[in-house]
Amino acid sequence: MVAVLLAGCGADVAVKKGDKFFALGEYYDAAAQYKKAYAQTPTKERRLRGQRALKMADCYRRINNTQRAVAAYNNAVRYKQQDSVTSFFQGQLLMKNGDYRGAAKAFQTAIDSLAGTDSPFLPMARQGLRAANAAPELKKKGSKYKVKREDLFNSRRADFSPMLCGDNNDQLYFTSTRNQAQGDELSGITGTKPSDIFFAQKDDKGKWGKPQTIDSELNTAFDEGACCFTPDGRTMYLTLCKTDPDYPRFATIVKSQRSDASWSKPTEVVVAKDTLSTFAHPAVSPDGMWLYFVSDMPGGMGGYDIWRCELMQSGTGPVENLGAPINTAGNEMFPTFRPNGDLYFSSDGHPGLGGLDIFIAKPQSNEAPSGAVGGAYSIEHPGYPLNSQGDDFGMTFEGLHNQGYFSSNRGDARGWDHIYSFSKAEVMVTVKGWVYEMDGYELPAGQVYLVGNDGTNQKLSVKGDGSFTYEIQTGVDYVMLGTCSGYLNHKEELRVDTATVSHEYVLQFPLANISAPVLIENIFYDFDKATLRPESATALDQLVKLLNDNPHVTIELAAHTDFKGSDQYNERLSQRRAESVVNYLIAHGIAADRLTPKGYGEQRPKTIKRKVAEKYPFLKEGDVLSEQYVTALKDEEQQEACNQLNRRTEFTVLRTTYGMFDEEGRLKNPPTPKTTTEEEEESQEADDAWF
């Protein structure tokens, strides 16, 4: 009797400890206490055993230990201590086990027991029943996706939420609870070490290296994970969940800045003044204007919903729920974007194959995808094997093609996640462009405005190497304008009628500096004359195009010679050459009063830029190729190379307001005042006023 009393007392203590852990969200520790209490409860205490089995089942379900959760729920039912939603949760767990027939029976039982109530689980049970009945055929149908478990990135613990970064997608960041994570204590939620962010790097041959720890203040002894990056790759948003021994843990979103190769200590991103809700799983829209995230804050549709807020220099704007059809009464989590604007997310509220399935929300307009909310999307299930009976989530894309990485706990009895690669063959037409300074380097601060006659209107940021890539549609006329502050614009046009195989079109966007002379390459004259040679036409036609693309610009067209010959002769020759170029431009439609020819002879020897110095190792950046400098060179070939560099044709921007004012100095087309509503409606049109 004493032994029985002591056992009962120990069970009660274990239940109290379990309840405390449960209240703090530490479900692994809570499950261990409930399991201890269940084992110490005599079999004749059927009610207590059933209640403790139910508590244990709830914990196992939350930490994805599906097998143990199913067994615990079965014990609760055996002891007749199930609650009103036990059958619903059994149905969900059986779906994750691939037992669709058993899941259908459980959902039907839940529907029968909840009939006539206003329980939010009733419509979810009906949705579950439809999913269970449809899942076998959906899985059998399959898809064109190919998936492969990538063991190089995986450990003996959980590895999930991969995210590619870098101009060439040569870095992979992901979340892991592996032993190398910081901290000494095991998580009360998972029973493993708190999660950290790790990364892997490709080598020069494109081969992935082994995952590495991040040597900065990014990771802590708390849980970090589910990171994403701004389009320029310099800001990381991630989820942080701190430990508090006395209060529940609510996840928050933080951000870290990259300086060179190091990530700074994260700072909190306040998206709402709500300290009792979770904010997690950040994702930045392709245009960098919006932060999408997951939250259970009030005002949602049930469970976890996907929300968004505008990213501003002062912080974040008001939050808004994406609404239906994306959000449901279930859980929508792990949003991410494909570069073409499609929103990928995971849900257990939409009908799928079990657990969290990946869904695609496609914008239903050609406006910027980040502007779409709720009904502006259509929802698509990508099928098996991208989705499985387990939890599938955390997509990241390698460029515009439908390939990359994701995470799944399929086939893992412990419920731990692992990283998989995926690919889907499809015909895709893309345009890749480079924005760079004429006679210089890439311009990562540049932007490209893209407009199509199908309604497409996009503002594209360029990567660190000045490049951008965008998927285009056949049969559409596109105009692209490369821009950068301090530079003239460059316009390109493109149309692709049909495509039977994937193809990438490559365009160049060289931008002319408005505050420095710009070299016009490949301008050739007859020897000792001002006559333009035929091979100069290509470069001159490009100059005509540049002036047409920038109609408010006037330029000085300057010709230069080397030091050979008299000063007077060189000035006359260079003046005639400058006039020859101007005459060509006038003959091709450029107004004469936009052009000023000037021959400088040898007065302005070339100053060497870094790019030229890289081509000629004997020169240094800043060298001035004066007669004294050139004649001091002992190598005749080096002297001739310098003379060739001095013999050049350049242009310099004089004005950027040509034709904008009338004779009295008034702006010809002044903007008219707008109401606040009109300004908001036309704000999206302001960027493409050039079109």
Side-chain angles (χ1 to χ4, degrees), residues 10 34 38 93 99 107 122 126 210 218 238 315 324 329 333 354 365-366 383 387 398 433 464 477 584 638 675:
Y34 293 144
Y38 180 84
L93 292 166
D99 183 0
F107 285 131
L122 181 57
R126 290 171 177 159
K210 292 183 178 180
L218 178 69
L238 62 151
M333 309 168 77
S365 73
N366 291 311
N387 284 313
E398 190 173 356
D477 295 319
Y584 184 98
Q638 292 179 354
T675 65

Side-chain angles (χ1 to χ4, degrees), residues 251 253 271-272 274 276-281 292-307 319 321 327 330-333 335:
I253 294 173
V271 296
D274 182 346
L276 298 178
S277 298
T278 285
F279 299 91
H281 307 169
Y292 287 67
F293 60 93
V294 169
S295 181
D296 58 354
M297 76 174 85
M301 299 182 64
Y304 289 101
D305 278 5
I306 298 176
W307 303 67
V319 300
N321 189 289
N327 290 320
N331 297 298
E332 280 67 49
M333 309 168 77

Side-chain angles (χ1 to χ4, degrees), residues 101-296:
R101 181 176 297 180
K105 291 180 179 179
F107 285 131
Q108 185 61 61
T109 300
I111 293 170
D112 294 341
S113 64
L114 296 170
T117 71
D118 59 355
S119 170
F121 289 97
L122 181 57
M124 295 171 65
R126 290 171 177 159
Q127 182 83 292
L129 179 60
R130 289 192 290 269
N133 289 330
E137 185 61 29
L138 180 61
K139 185 173 182 179
K140 181 180 178 181
K141 180 181 178 181
S143 71
K144 294 182 179 180
Y145 281 94
K146 295 181 179 179
V147 303
K148 176 186 176 184
R149 178 164 161 164
E150 297 293 340
D151 287 333
L152 175 64
F153 306 131
N154 294 314
S155 66
R156 296 182 179 181
R157 298 293 185 267
D159 304 281
F160 58 97
S161 291
M163 185 59 58
L164 286 162
C165 186
D167 292 336
N168 299 310
N169 295 306
D170 55 358
Q171 300 169 26
L172 184 72
Y173 290 77
F174 61 93
T175 309
S176 179
T177 61
R178 63 186 60 198
N179 290 334
Q180 290 78 14
Q182 294 188 27
D184 298 322
E185 297 183 1
L186 299 182
S187 168
I189 298 177
T190 63
T192 62
K193 297 191 72 172
S195 58
D196 274 358
I197 294 176
F198 292 78
F199 82 103
Q201 176 83 44
K202 279 185 178 179
D203 61 21
D204 295 338
K205 297 181 180 180
K207 183 179 179 181
W208 286 110
K210 292 183 178 180
Q212 307 172 44
T213 58
I214 297 177
D215 296 327
S216 72
E217 295 182 284
L218 178 69
N219 290 311
T220 68
F222 301 121
D223 281 297
E224 289 89 16
C227 68
C228 70
F229 301 94
T230 51
D232 62 8
R234 302 203 64 82
T235 302
M236 175 196 297
Y237 290 88
L238 62 151
T239 306
L240 172 65
C241 193
K242 293 185 177 181
T243 299
D244 191 309
D246 299 315
Y247 295 96
R249 308 196 317 168
F250 296 102
T252 59
I253 294 173
V254 297
K255 68 177 180 179
S256 172
Q257 305 292 337
R258 187 180 69 182
S259 176
D260 296 327
S262 180
W263 291 100
S264 69
K265 183 178 180 180
T267 58
E268 185 174 356
V269 178
V270 180
V271 296
K273 295 181 179 179
D274 182 346
T275 60
L276 298 178
S277 298
T278 285
F279 299 91
H281 307 169
V284 177
S285 60
D287 59 12
M289 295 177 60
W290 297 88
L291 178 68
Y292 287 67
F293 60 93
V294 169
S295 181
D296 58 354

